[in-house]
Amino acid sequence: MVGIAVMTGLAFARFSRPTARVLFSRVAVITPHNAMPTLIFRTANQRRNMILEAQMRVYLMRDDITLEGQFIRRLYDLKLLRNQTPSFTLSWSVMHIIDEFSPLYGMTAESLTQTNTMLIISLSGIDETVTQVVHARHSYAANEILWNNQFVDIFHHTPDGHRYIDYNRFHDVLP
């Protein structure tokens, strides 16, 4: 009887854990935003509730050669325009300005490929329904970062003035 109770408890604990169910765009883009080159990717909350106090962290990982000529796989933090939101409900366009302080400064599509560059994304927040922390991760390889493209607008208005998001175009980009 004790064994059955323990197994039931373990099964319940495993299946009652919330999952983030966050959608990430298939590609990231580098496009001008306020006259500055900007790395942008999209996320969307696929749950019917909110993720509270959501925090986004983005890392750039690439091969580097030190001044001594040694190979090293280096990890850089990317500073975001907004790395947290009080409630992640629908969609979030994550942006990193490429200025002289950015590890992407001076890079090209070719140099990203040559250095095996990868973006690593980590999202965490509190599921509003069960008040437990949820996590989501994603990564973009160098060939999934499109230069001089922009995302298609997914926000639309109904005739009566309400806004909605067209998720059918969530991954679409324009040159």
Side-chain angles (χ1 to χ4, degrees), residues 58-145:
V58 179
Y59 305 95
L60 181 129
M61 187 169 50
R62 71 174 176 219
D63 297 344
D64 278 341
I65 303 296
T66 65
L67 295 176
E68 295 77 25
Q70 295 179 335
F71 170 83
I72 186 170
R73 187 85 169 139
R74 190 164 283 165
L75 197 65
Y76 299 91
D77 288 326
L78 294 187
K79 183 180 178 193
L80 304 178
L81 281 180
R82 183 172 49 104
N83 68 341
Q84 61 186 21
T85 183
S87 69
F88 178 30
T89 308
L90 299 173
S91 178
W92 185 355
S93 290
V94 181
M95 300 182 193
H96 165 73
I97 302 293
I98 302 173
D99 57 12
E100 59 273 6
F101 303 109
S102 169
L104 287 168
Y105 186 73
M107 299 289 287
T108 63
E110 293 79 23
S111 63
L112 290 180
T113 302
Q114 289 170 353
T115 58
N116 294 317
T117 299
M118 179 180 282
L119 292 177
I120 302 167
I121 292 90
S122 172
L123 170 78
S124 63
I126 301 168
D127 182 288
E128 141 184 86
T129 305
V130 293
T131 62
Q132 289 185 347
V133 176
V134 292
H135 301 279
R137 292 175 300 191
H138 191 73
S139 62
Y140 294 102
N143 64 341
E144 296 171 320
I145 302 171

Side-chain angles (χ1 to χ4, degrees), residues 16 25 52 54 95 109 112 116 157 162-163 169:
S16 67
S25 57
L52 305 174
M95 300 182 193
L112 290 180
N116 294 317
H157 291 72
H162 291 90
R163 290 174 41 159
R169 312 241 16 231

